[in-house]
Amino acid sequence: MKTEKIQIFDTTLRDGEQVPGCQLNVQEKLVIAEQLELLGVDVIEAGFPISSPGDFEAVKSISALVKDATVCGLTRAVEKDIHVAADALRLARKPRIHTGIGTSELHIKYKLNSTPEKIIERAVAAVSLAKSFVEDVEFYAEDAGRTDNAFLARVCEAAVKAGATVLNIPDTTGYCLPDEYGAKIKYLVDHVRGIENVTLSTHCHNDLGLATANSIAGVRNGARQIECTINGIGERAGNTALEEVVMIMRQHPYLNLDTNINTRLLTQTSQMVAEMMHMTVQPNKAIVGANAFAHSSGIHQDGIIKFRETYEIIDPKEVGVDDSSIVLTARSGRAALAFRMQKLGYKLDKDNLNKAYDSFLVMADARKVVKDDDLHELVEKHKILVNV
Ligand code: KIV
Ligand code: ZN
């Protein structure tokens, strides 16, 4: 079976940047956009041009800078938004306008004070207007996760008829379960006329910790684009993490789904975004957390030293990490101590390893993590014979 390409739509600079404290200036956004292009993303959502002069400027400058990726600007289904986005995207080699409107009962009634029929009219008007400026128009049905499937299919069909090239199905509030979200995508594949001519996109939020699982359920049911951010940053609990969905597809080749991402740049990109956006990555974060390839329990360390794959499903080099690390704590065993000693040039026979290990445990209880300097100190202080 042929492997199909999943487009990676990065929204770090739009949905990610909405997080309080993560705001970037134009220069910083350009640096990240350049890195995203190097990483191999297919689409860069550069901002929401009507929202501020700074965001307009950012979308404009990124449009001029980016060579291969599509550059996308967000709008509401509002005429002025679309005019401003089209202007900001003027210099883009591959411009895309991303326009849309809320489609759930809650959004229609309480946010938009409207009716389902008027929502369809506004969706069609927005897509048609965007289409008068650019060929590539993405339509989002905000809160699609909580939208009735039959109505969602009607809105999507109208958007396709009006010229949308991509249909984005956001689980805006991170509410769906994976099988429910996958079934929603499948329902659209089966019920929207003309859907075979457009790309279906996932856009999942992480309020219940399901953004990654939902995005994968989406592509397993026919979506061909995933919207995501580096480190999963984004509103509230965040968006789908780019590095997670990319590595899931890479690690499960039988899915026959892959991306254009150069995975060796994932760690570097993660660190750049964390630093520039002042948003530290939790140490146990999948793929890019500081502990993602660190082993601290004796049983695991023993396995890793014998054969890496006993406790690692990803070769760290694949994501740009030099090596797995053996962290010495009071839970570590003799094999780990001998391994780290050897890295420092100390070769210990059995008796000296036993002697060193007893002192090591006392040190580890006191210091929690035993570093290289501590090991040098231990060898000297306890007169451990090495290289005998
Ligand atoms: O979460 C969402 O619904 C969005 C849309 C604006 C695409 O970010
Ligand atoms: Zn979103």
Side-chain angles (χ1 to χ4, degrees):
M1 210 168 145
K2 204 173 135 263
T3 297
E4 288 196 53
K5 272 274 147 66
I6 299 299
Q7 302 277 300
I8 293 295
F9 175 117
D10 181 277
T11 183
T12 305
L13 296 176
R14 199 279 296 170
D15 227 347
E17 208 247 1
Q18 288 175 203
V19 177
C22 282
Q23 276 67 40
L24 300 167
N25 62 35
V26 175
Q27 206 44 46
E28 290 167 326
K29 286 186 186 176
L30 285 168
V31 172
I32 292 184
E34 216 166 10
Q35 178 72 14
L36 291 173
E37 193 161 46
L38 265 183
L39 182 65
V41 308
D42 302 284
V43 185
I44 297 173
E45 187 161 52
F48 182 11
I50 191 112
S51 66
S52 74
D55 231 31
F56 178 88
E57 212 37 55
V59 176
K60 193 171 160 192
S61 311
I62 291 170
S63 295
L65 172 85
V66 166
K67 291 185 186 65
D68 298 319
T70 294
V71 180
C72 180
L74 184 80
T75 82
R76 294 164 296 181
V78 170
E79 264 187 43
K80 183 95 191 327
D81 284 30
I82 297 169
H83 282 274
V84 172
D87 192 17
L89 290 164
R90 240 178 326 122
L91 299 175
R93 289 173 179 84
K94 296 185 203 164
R96 176 183 295 178
I97 292 178
H98 189 190
T99 189
I101 194 161
T103 54
S104 65
E105 248 182 76
L106 279 167
H107 276 228
I108 296 173
K109 192 165 165 195
Y110 296 107
K111 190 178 110 169
L112 301 160
N113 190 22
S114 187
T115 64
E117 295 315 312
K118 286 196 183 122
I119 291 300
I120 295 183
E121 275 170 33
R122 281 187 65 184
V124 168
V127 171
S128 308
L129 180 61
K131 197 76 181 178
S132 70
F133 294 107
V134 294
E135 172 49 37
D136 193 4
V137 176
E138 174 165 339
F139 172 75
Y140 65 85
E142 196 181 6
D143 205 16
R146 293 186 298 173
T147 299
D148 167 68
N149 284 349
F151 179 64
L152 185 60
R154 280 186 62 208
V155 185
C156 286
E157 193 163 303
V160 171
K161 235 171 143 188
T165 46
V166 182
L167 288 176
N168 178 14
I169 312 303
D171 183 20
T172 306
T173 57
Y175 178 72
C176 289
L177 293 171
D179 55 356
E180 189 185 355
Y181 188 74
K184 191 175 280 290
I185 296 291
K186 174 89 170 63
Y187 182 90
L188 297 174
V189 169
D190 292 341
H191 291 86
V192 174
R193 245 171 302 169
I195 203 153
E196 62 283 3
N197 303 318
V198 305
T199 304
L200 255 177
S201 181
T202 69
H203 179 113
C204 299
H205 280 266
N206 206 31
D207 300 66
L208 291 172
L210 291 169
T212 293
N214 284 345
S215 304
I216 295 298
V219 292
R220 295 191 78 180
N221 281 280
R224 284 295 170 266
Q225 176 177 280
I226 294 179
E227 306 196 4
C228 46
T229 59
I230 302 295
N231 301 335
I233 63 164
E235 291 264 353
R236 309 182 307 280
N239 287 58
T240 301
L242 180 148
E243 59 279 3
E244 294 177 11
V245 287
V246 165
M247 288 313 293
I248 287 169
M249 290 184 271
R250 198 56 64 86
Q251 293 307 115
H252 291 274
Y254 65 89
L255 293 176
N256 293 308
L257 301 170
D258 203 5
T259 67
N260 291 320
I261 297 296
N262 175 358
T263 61
R264 289 181 184 249
L265 295 180
L266 283 173
T267 300
Q268 183 190 319
T269 311
S270 158
Q271 287 167 357
M272 175 192 274
V273 167
E275 238 168 72
M276 290 177 78
M277 292 183 133
H278 310 290
M279 189 81 161
T280 45
V281 176
Q282 71 194 61
N284 59 329
K285 166 83 183 60
I287 321 293
V288 293
N291 293 347
F293 299 99
H295 304 273
S296 56
S297 92
I299 296 170
H300 291 204
Q301 290 175 334
D302 183 49
I304 282 279
I305 291 165
K306 288 174 175 151
F307 188 58
R308 189 189 59 74
E309 287 170 37
T310 51
Y311 286 98
E312 269 180 4
I313 58 160
I314 298 172
D315 180 344
K317 291 188 181 58
E318 281 299 307
V319 297
V321 173
D322 289 341
D323 226 335
S324 326
S325 55
I326 298 288
V327 182
L328 293 181
T329 70
R331 305 282 91 72
S332 300
R334 284 175 181 73
L337 178 62
F339 177 81
R340 282 279 301 276
M341 286 282 201
Q342 201 165 2
K343 291 236 163 207
L344 296 177
Y346 298 136
K347 222 167 157 228
L348 278 67
D349 66 11
K350 200 169 170 211
D351 287 346
N352 277 288
L353 179 61
N354 283 337
K355 185 174 163 193
Y357 188 64
D358 290 341
S359 317
F360 160 77
L361 285 181
V362 174
M363 187 181 242
D365 272 337
R367 300 187 189 178
K368 295 190 168 56
V369 174
V370 175
K371 310 243 172 66
D372 288 352
D373 282 350
D374 301 321
L375 291 181
H376 289 304
E377 182 190 320
L378 186 143
V379 166
E380 265 182 37
K381 189 169 162 198
H382 297 280
K383 305 202 175 356
I384 308 291
L385 290 179
V386 293
N387 305 326
V388 284

